[in-house]
PDB file of all heavy atoms in Angstrom:
ATOM      1  N   LEU A   1      -0.771  13.987   8.734  1.00 92.00           N
ATOM      2  CA  LEU A   1      -0.222  12.955   9.592  1.00 92.00           C
ATOM      3  C   LEU A   1      -0.572  13.154  11.049  1.00 92.00           C
ATOM      4  O   LEU A   1      -0.399  12.239  11.910  1.00 92.00           O
ATOM      5  CB  LEU A   1       1.408  12.871   9.373  1.00 92.00           C
ATOM      6  CG  LEU A   1       1.827  12.636   8.021  1.00 92.00           C
ATOM      7  CD1 LEU A   1       3.390  12.681   7.997  1.00 92.00           C
ATOM      8  CD2 LEU A   1       1.342  11.325   7.495  1.00 92.00           C
ATOM      9  N   GLY A   2      -0.997  14.459  11.494  1.00 94.00           N
ATOM     10  CA  GLY A   2      -1.117  14.659  12.814  1.00 94.00           C
ATOM     11  C   GLY A   2       0.142  15.192  13.653  1.00 94.00           C
ATOM     12  O   GLY A   2       1.216  15.107  12.988  1.00 94.00           O
ATOM     13  N   PHE A   3       0.109  15.684  14.746  1.00 94.00           N
ATOM     14  CA  PHE A   3       1.188  16.173  15.528  1.00 94.00           C
ATOM     15  C   PHE A   3       1.028  15.904  16.902  1.00 94.00           C
ATOM     16  O   PHE A   3       0.000  16.361  17.475  1.00 94.00           O
ATOM     17  CB  PHE A   3       1.472  17.589  15.072  1.00 94.00           C
ATOM     18  CG  PHE A   3       2.662  18.138  15.794  1.00 94.00           C
ATOM     19  CD1 PHE A   3       4.070  17.734  15.426  1.00 94.00           C
ATOM     20  CD2 PHE A   3       2.676  18.948  16.812  1.00 94.00           C
ATOM     21  CE1 PHE A   3       5.092  18.264  15.953  1.00 94.00           C
ATOM     22  CE2 PHE A   3       3.783  19.508  17.591  1.00 94.00           C
ATOM     23  CZ  PHE A   3       4.960  19.038  17.180  1.00 94.00           C
ATOM     24  N   MET A   4       1.899  15.432  17.614  1.00 95.00           N
ATOM     25  CA  MET A   4       1.886  15.312  19.090  1.00 95.00           C
ATOM     26  C   MET A   4       3.147  15.769  19.669  1.00 95.00           C
ATOM     27  O   MET A   4       4.197  15.316  19.177  1.00 95.00           O
ATOM     28  CB  MET A   4       1.580  13.759  19.489  1.00 95.00           C
ATOM     29  CG  MET A   4       0.169  13.283  18.959  1.00 95.00           C
ATOM     30  SD  MET A   4      -0.049  11.583  19.103  1.00 95.00           S
ATOM     31  CE  MET A   4      -0.209  11.288  20.869  1.00 95.00           C
ATOM     32  N   GLY A   5       3.074  16.536  20.732  1.00 95.00           N
ATOM     33  CA  GLY A   5       4.324  16.973  21.248  1.00 95.00           C
ATOM     34  C   GLY A   5       4.295  18.604  21.285  1.00 95.00           C
ATOM     35  O   GLY A   5       3.421  19.197  21.010  1.00 95.00           O
ATOM     36  N   ARG A   6       5.670  19.014  21.554  1.00 95.00           N
ATOM     37  CA  ARG A   6       5.785  20.514  21.624  1.00 95.00           C
ATOM     38  C   ARG A   6       6.343  20.999  20.206  1.00 95.00           C
ATOM     39  O   ARG A   6       7.177  20.363  19.610  1.00 95.00           O
ATOM     40  CB  ARG A   6       6.830  20.886  22.590  1.00 95.00           C
ATOM     41  CG  ARG A   6       6.257  20.595  24.003  1.00 95.00           C
ATOM     42  CD  ARG A   6       7.290  21.132  25.073  1.00 95.00           C
ATOM     43  NE  ARG A   6       6.761  20.889  26.386  1.00 95.00           N
ATOM     44  CZ  ARG A   6       5.927  21.596  27.052  1.00 95.00           C
ATOM     45  NH1 ARG A   6       5.382  22.554  26.608  1.00 95.00           N
ATOM     46  NH2 ARG A   6       5.426  21.138  28.329  1.00 95.00           N
ATOM     47  N   ASP A   7       5.818  22.110  19.838  1.00 89.00           N
ATOM     48  CA  ASP A   7       6.326  22.683  18.626  1.00 89.00           C
ATOM     49  C   ASP A   7       7.570  23.695  18.921  1.00 89.00           C
ATOM     50  O   ASP A   7       8.011  23.645  20.069  1.00 89.00           O
ATOM     51  CB  ASP A   7       5.256  23.574  17.881  1.00 89.00           C
ATOM     52  CG  ASP A   7       4.795  24.891  18.631  1.00 89.00           C
ATOM     53  OD1 ASP A   7       5.399  25.118  19.668  1.00 89.00           O
ATOM     54  OD2 ASP A   7       3.943  25.477  18.056  1.00 89.00           O
ATOM     55  N   SER A   8       8.122  24.260  17.950  1.00 91.00           N
ATOM     56  CA  SER A   8       9.342  25.199  18.179  1.00 91.00           C
ATOM     57  C   SER A   8       9.167  26.241  19.122  1.00 91.00           C
ATOM     58  O   SER A   8      10.047  26.794  19.677  1.00 91.00           O
ATOM     59  CB  SER A   8       9.814  25.646  16.883  1.00 91.00           C
ATOM     60  OG  SER A   8       8.905  26.494  16.315  1.00 91.00           O
ATOM     61  N   LEU A   9       7.861  26.641  19.416  1.00 95.00           N
ATOM     62  CA  LEU A   9       7.533  27.795  20.398  1.00 95.00           C
ATOM     63  C   LEU A   9       7.189  27.117  21.781  1.00 95.00           C
ATOM     64  O   LEU A   9       6.896  27.945  22.591  1.00 95.00           O
ATOM     65  CB  LEU A   9       6.422  28.604  19.845  1.00 95.00           C
ATOM     66  CG  LEU A   9       6.636  29.376  18.506  1.00 95.00           C
ATOM     67  CD1 LEU A   9       5.481  30.026  18.170  1.00 95.00           C
ATOM     68  CD2 LEU A   9       7.843  30.328  18.603  1.00 95.00           C
ATOM     69  N   GLY A  10       7.251  25.859  21.941  1.00 95.00           N
ATOM     70  CA  GLY A  10       6.977  25.260  23.131  1.00 95.00           C
ATOM     71  C   GLY A  10       5.558  24.929  23.405  1.00 95.00           C
ATOM     72  O   GLY A  10       5.196  24.490  24.524  1.00 95.00           O
ATOM     73  N   ARG A  11       4.779  25.154  22.568  1.00 94.00           N
ATOM     74  CA  ARG A  11       3.297  24.783  22.608  1.00 94.00           C
ATOM     75  C   ARG A  11       3.066  23.311  22.457  1.00 94.00           C
ATOM     76  O   ARG A  11       3.717  22.684  21.693  1.00 94.00           O
ATOM     77  CB  ARG A  11       2.314  25.600  21.697  1.00 94.00           C
ATOM     78  CG  ARG A  11       2.518  27.056  21.669  1.00 94.00           C
ATOM     79  CD  ARG A  11       1.913  27.812  20.618  1.00 94.00           C
ATOM     80  NE  ARG A  11       2.582  27.502  19.415  1.00 94.00           N
ATOM     81  CZ  ARG A  11       2.344  28.189  18.179  1.00 94.00           C
ATOM     82  NH1 ARG A  11       1.484  29.146  18.159  1.00 94.00           N
ATOM     83  NH2 ARG A  11       3.001  27.871  17.134  1.00 94.00           N
ATOM     84  N   ARG A  12       2.182  22.768  23.341  1.00 96.00           N
ATOM     85  CA  ARG A  12       1.856  21.284  23.284  1.00 96.00           C
ATOM     86  C   ARG A  12       0.687  21.064  22.386  1.00 96.00           C
ATOM     87  O   ARG A  12      -0.343  21.731  22.465  1.00 96.00           O
ATOM     88  CB  ARG A  12       1.563  20.788  24.686  1.00 96.00           C
ATOM     89  CG  ARG A  12       2.865  20.772  25.580  1.00 96.00           C
ATOM     90  CD  ARG A  12       2.411  20.081  26.957  1.00 96.00           C
ATOM     91  NE  ARG A  12       2.314  18.661  26.955  1.00 96.00           N
ATOM     92  CZ  ARG A  12       3.204  17.786  26.672  1.00 96.00           C
ATOM     93  NH1 ARG A  12       4.388  18.096  26.496  1.00 96.00           N
ATOM     94  NH2 ARG A  12       2.982  16.423  26.845  1.00 96.00           N
ATOM     95  N   TYR A  13       0.793  20.040  21.578  1.00 93.00           N
ATOM     96  CA  TYR A  13      -0.259  19.572  20.675  1.00 93.00           C
ATOM     97  C   TYR A  13      -0.457  18.019  20.739  1.00 93.00           C
ATOM     98  O   TYR A  13       0.356  17.338  21.083  1.00 93.00           O
ATOM     99  CB  TYR A  13       0.151  19.907  19.238  1.00 93.00           C
ATOM    100  CG  TYR A  13       0.132  21.382  18.913  1.00 93.00           C
ATOM    101  CD1 TYR A  13       1.225  22.178  19.008  1.00 93.00           C
ATOM    102  CD2 TYR A  13      -1.097  21.958  18.407  1.00 93.00           C
ATOM    103  CE1 TYR A  13       1.278  23.418  18.568  1.00 93.00           C
ATOM    104  CE2 TYR A  13      -0.978  23.295  18.070  1.00 93.00           C
ATOM    105  CZ  TYR A  13       0.055  24.085  18.363  1.00 93.00           C
ATOM    106  OH  TYR A  13       0.136  25.398  17.953  1.00 93.00           O
ATOM    107  N   ASN A  14      -1.715  17.785  20.613  1.00 95.00           N
ATOM    108  CA  ASN A  14      -2.204  16.449  20.520  1.00 95.00           C
ATOM    109  C   ASN A  14      -3.215  16.395  19.346  1.00 95.00           C
ATOM    110  O   ASN A  14      -4.468  16.218  19.619  1.00 95.00           O
ATOM    111  CB  ASN A  14      -2.789  15.867  21.850  1.00 95.00           C
ATOM    112  CG  ASN A  14      -3.066  14.404  21.758  1.00 95.00           C
ATOM    113  OD1 ASN A  14      -2.664  13.696  20.775  1.00 95.00           O
ATOM    114  ND2 ASN A  14      -3.782  13.908  22.738  1.00 95.00           N
ATOM    115  N   PHE A  15      -2.757  16.551  18.130  1.00 93.00           N
ATOM    116  CA  PHE A  15      -3.683  16.719  17.046  1.00 93.00           C
ATOM    117  C   PHE A  15      -3.625  15.457  16.185  1.00 93.00           C
ATOM    118  O   PHE A  15      -2.513  15.078  15.668  1.00 93.00           O
ATOM    119  CB  PHE A  15      -3.141  17.924  16.195  1.00 93.00           C
ATOM    120  CG  PHE A  15      -3.836  18.328  14.962  1.00 93.00           C
ATOM    121  CD1 PHE A  15      -5.121  18.927  15.065  1.00 93.00           C
ATOM    122  CD2 PHE A  15      -3.328  17.876  13.736  1.00 93.00           C
ATOM    123  CE1 PHE A  15      -5.781  19.269  14.025  1.00 93.00           C
ATOM    124  CE2 PHE A  15      -4.149  18.285  12.633  1.00 93.00           C
ATOM    125  CZ  PHE A  15      -5.294  18.859  12.674  1.00 93.00           C
ATOM    126  N   ALA A  16      -4.700  14.814  16.038  1.00 95.00           N
ATOM    127  CA  ALA A  16      -4.869  13.668  15.124  1.00 95.00           C
ATOM    128  C   ALA A  16      -4.820  14.054  13.730  1.00 95.00           C
ATOM    129  O   ALA A  16      -5.313  15.160  13.353  1.00 95.00           O
ATOM    130  CB  ALA A  16      -6.151  13.036  15.474  1.00 95.00           C
ATOM    131  N   GLY A  17      -4.318  13.273  12.831  1.00 94.00           N
ATOM    132  CA  GLY A  17      -4.173  13.644  11.454  1.00 94.00           C
ATOM    133  C   GLY A  17      -5.470  13.551  10.794  1.00 94.00           C
ATOM    134  O   GLY A  17      -6.465  12.889  11.138  1.00 94.00           O
ATOM    135  N   HIS A  18      -5.620  14.301   9.706  1.00 93.00           N
ATOM    136  CA  HIS A  18      -6.779  14.244   8.882  1.00 93.00           C
ATOM    137  C   HIS A  18      -6.214  14.149   7.318  1.00 93.00           C
ATOM    138  O   HIS A  18      -6.239  15.154   6.635  1.00 93.00           O
ATOM    139  CB  HIS A  18      -7.626  15.624   8.922  1.00 93.00           C
ATOM    140  CG  HIS A  18      -8.028  15.785  10.373  1.00 93.00           C
ATOM    141  ND1 HIS A  18      -7.359  16.588  11.264  1.00 93.00           N
ATOM    142  CD2 HIS A  18      -9.049  15.196  11.084  1.00 93.00           C
ATOM    143  CE1 HIS A  18      -7.990  16.552  12.326  1.00 93.00           C
ATOM    144  NE2 HIS A  18      -9.038  15.720  12.407  1.00 93.00           N
ATOM    145  N   PRO A  19      -5.974  12.893   6.983  1.00 92.00           N
ATOM    146  CA  PRO A  19      -5.369  12.693   5.657  1.00 92.00           C
ATOM    147  C   PRO A  19      -6.288  13.182   4.574  1.00 92.00           C
ATOM    148  O   PRO A  19      -7.536  12.991   4.526  1.00 92.00           O
ATOM    149  CB  PRO A  19      -5.223  11.120   5.553  1.00 92.00           C
ATOM    150  CG  PRO A  19      -5.276  10.692   6.954  1.00 92.00           C
ATOM    151  CD  PRO A  19      -6.108  11.642   7.739  1.00 92.00           C
ATOM    152  N   TYR A  20      -5.734  13.985   3.672  1.00 87.00           N
ATOM    153  CA  TYR A  20      -6.448  14.413   2.383  1.00 87.00           C
ATOM    154  C   TYR A  20      -5.622  14.235   1.213  1.00 87.00           C
ATOM    155  O   TYR A  20      -6.198  14.036   0.082  1.00 87.00           O
ATOM    156  CB  TYR A  20      -6.898  16.102   2.681  1.00 87.00           C
ATOM    157  CG  TYR A  20      -5.709  16.893   2.667  1.00 87.00           C
ATOM    158  CD1 TYR A  20      -5.269  17.581   1.536  1.00 87.00           C
ATOM    159  CD2 TYR A  20      -4.981  17.012   3.910  1.00 87.00           C
ATOM    160  CE1 TYR A  20      -4.288  18.399   1.549  1.00 87.00           C
ATOM    161  CE2 TYR A  20      -3.938  17.881   3.930  1.00 87.00           C
ATOM    162  CZ  TYR A  20      -3.487  18.598   2.761  1.00 87.00           C
ATOM    163  OH  TYR A  20      -2.408  19.461   2.819  1.00 87.00           O
ATOM    164  N   LEU A  21      -4.313  14.492   1.299  1.00 85.00           N
ATOM    165  CA  LEU A  21      -3.447  14.303   0.078  1.00 85.00           C
ATOM    166  C   LEU A  21      -3.308  12.877  -0.450  1.00 85.00           C
ATOM    167  O   LEU A  21      -3.587  12.616  -1.587  1.00 85.00           O
ATOM    168  CB  LEU A  21      -2.064  14.942   0.351  1.00 85.00           C
ATOM    169  CG  LEU A  21      -1.271  15.274  -0.845  1.00 85.00           C
ATOM    170  CD1 LEU A  21      -1.996  16.124  -1.890  1.00 85.00           C
ATOM    171  CD2 LEU A  21       0.082  15.919  -0.393  1.00 85.00           C
ATOM    172  N   ARG A  22      -3.072  11.999   0.449  1.00 87.00           N
ATOM    173  CA  ARG A  22      -2.818  10.636  -0.019  1.00 87.00           C
ATOM    174  C   ARG A  22      -4.057  10.010  -0.382  1.00 87.00           C
ATOM    175  O   ARG A  22      -3.990   9.334  -1.453  1.00 87.00           O
ATOM    176  CB  ARG A  22      -2.215   9.766   1.148  1.00 87.00           C
ATOM    177  CG  ARG A  22      -1.879   8.362   0.818  1.00 87.00           C
ATOM    178  CD  ARG A  22      -0.846   8.454  -0.238  1.00 87.00           C
ATOM    179  NE  ARG A  22      -0.727   7.092  -0.921  1.00 87.00           N
ATOM    180  CZ  ARG A  22       0.447   6.498  -1.296  1.00 87.00           C
ATOM    181  NH1 ARG A  22       1.588   7.171  -1.028  1.00 87.00           N
ATOM    182  NH2 ARG A  22       0.390   5.383  -1.850  1.00 87.00           N
ATOM    183  N   PRO A  23      -5.217  10.138   0.333  1.00 91.00           N
ATOM    184  CA  PRO A  23      -6.415   9.523  -0.229  1.00 91.00           C
ATOM    185  C   PRO A  23      -6.777  10.090  -1.649  1.00 91.00           C
ATOM    186  O   PRO A  23      -7.293   9.241  -2.495  1.00 91.00           O
ATOM    187  CB  PRO A  23      -7.574   9.766   0.830  1.00 91.00           C
ATOM    188  CG  PRO A  23      -6.723   9.998   2.036  1.00 91.00           C
ATOM    189  CD  PRO A  23      -5.339  10.638   1.581  1.00 91.00           C
ATOM    190  N   ALA A  24      -6.552  11.412  -1.851  1.00 88.00           N
ATOM    191  CA  ALA A  24      -6.899  11.998  -3.178  1.00 88.00           C
ATOM    192  C   ALA A  24      -5.979  11.415  -4.231  1.00 88.00           C
ATOM    193  O   ALA A  24      -6.413  11.137  -5.281  1.00 88.00           O
ATOM    194  CB  ALA A  24      -6.763  13.543  -3.010  1.00 88.00           C
ATOM    195  N   PHE A  25      -4.725  11.315  -3.854  1.00 85.00           N
ATOM    196  CA  PHE A  25      -3.712  10.710  -4.896  1.00 85.00           C
ATOM    197  C   PHE A  25      -4.211   9.315  -5.113  1.00 85.00           C
ATOM    198  O   PHE A  25      -4.197   8.883  -6.320  1.00 85.00           O
ATOM    199  CB  PHE A  25      -2.320  10.662  -4.285  1.00 85.00           C
ATOM    200  CG  PHE A  25      -1.351   9.886  -5.073  1.00 85.00           C
ATOM    201  CD1 PHE A  25      -0.863  10.561  -6.207  1.00 85.00           C
ATOM    202  CD2 PHE A  25      -1.102   8.678  -4.709  1.00 85.00           C
ATOM    203  CE1 PHE A  25       0.148  10.008  -6.985  1.00 85.00           C
ATOM    204  CE2 PHE A  25      -0.068   8.047  -5.538  1.00 85.00           C
ATOM    205  CZ  PHE A  25       0.562   8.612  -6.600  1.00 85.00           C
ATOM    206  N   ASP A  26      -4.504   8.444  -4.130  1.00 90.00           N
ATOM    207  CA  ASP A  26      -4.889   7.004  -4.511  1.00 90.00           C
ATOM    208  C   ASP A  26      -6.153   7.051  -5.287  1.00 90.00           C
ATOM    209  O   ASP A  26      -6.186   6.141  -6.269  1.00 90.00           O
ATOM    210  CB  ASP A  26      -5.045   6.300  -3.149  1.00 90.00           C
ATOM    211  CG  ASP A  26      -3.710   6.161  -2.313  1.00 90.00           C
ATOM    212  OD1 ASP A  26      -2.751   6.180  -2.918  1.00 90.00           O
ATOM    213  OD2 ASP A  26      -3.926   5.824  -1.160  1.00 90.00           O
ATOM    214  N   GLU A  27      -7.021   7.803  -5.041  1.00 93.00           N
ATOM    215  CA  GLU A  27      -8.378   7.758  -5.743  1.00 93.00           C
ATOM    216  C   GLU A  27      -8.161   8.163  -7.319  1.00 93.00           C
ATOM    217  O   GLU A  27      -8.862   7.725  -8.099  1.00 93.00           O
ATOM    218  CB  GLU A  27      -9.361   8.910  -5.152  1.00 93.00           C
ATOM    219  CG  GLU A  27     -10.715   8.763  -5.805  1.00 93.00           C
ATOM    220  CD  GLU A  27     -11.673   9.797  -5.021  1.00 93.00           C
ATOM    221  OE1 GLU A  27     -11.602   9.859  -3.845  1.00 93.00           O
ATOM    222  OE2 GLU A  27     -12.315  10.604  -5.828  1.00 93.00           O
ATOM    223  N   LYS A  28      -7.200   9.113  -7.512  1.00 91.00           N
ATOM    224  CA  LYS A  28      -7.028   9.614  -8.956  1.00 91.00           C
ATOM    225  C   LYS A  28      -5.828   8.991  -9.689  1.00 91.00           C
ATOM    226  O   LYS A  28      -5.449   9.429 -10.688  1.00 91.00           O
ATOM    227  CB  LYS A  28      -6.879  11.082  -8.814  1.00 91.00           C
ATOM    228  CG  LYS A  28      -8.143  11.840  -8.451  1.00 91.00           C
ATOM    229  CD  LYS A  28      -9.287  11.736  -9.371  1.00 91.00           C
ATOM    230  CE  LYS A  28     -10.346  12.529  -8.972  1.00 91.00           C
ATOM    231  NZ  LYS A  28     -11.517  12.491  -9.980  1.00 91.00           N
ATOM    232  N   ARG A  29      -5.179   8.065  -9.063  1.00 90.00           N
ATOM    233  CA  ARG A  29      -3.933   7.536  -9.604  1.00 90.00           C
ATOM    234  C   ARG A  29      -3.908   7.001 -10.996  1.00 90.00           C
ATOM    235  O   ARG A  29      -3.139   7.376 -11.831  1.00 90.00           O
ATOM    236  CB  ARG A  29      -3.312   6.501  -8.623  1.00 90.00           C
ATOM    237  CG  ARG A  29      -2.034   5.881  -9.083  1.00 90.00           C
ATOM    238  CD  ARG A  29      -1.571   4.754  -8.193  1.00 90.00           C
ATOM    239  NE  ARG A  29      -0.186   4.518  -8.642  1.00 90.00           N
ATOM    240  CZ  ARG A  29       0.709   3.917  -7.960  1.00 90.00           C
ATOM    241  NH1 ARG A  29       0.503   3.782  -6.585  1.00 90.00           N
ATOM    242  NH2 ARG A  29       1.860   3.522  -8.489  1.00 90.00           N
TER     243      ARG A  29
END
């Protein structure tokens, strides 16, 4: 899903998601 903001250690992130689980599920449903 990605992550934007600070983590529990105070580090800042602006990480775009890279979906892999949902597309694989949809493909093999």
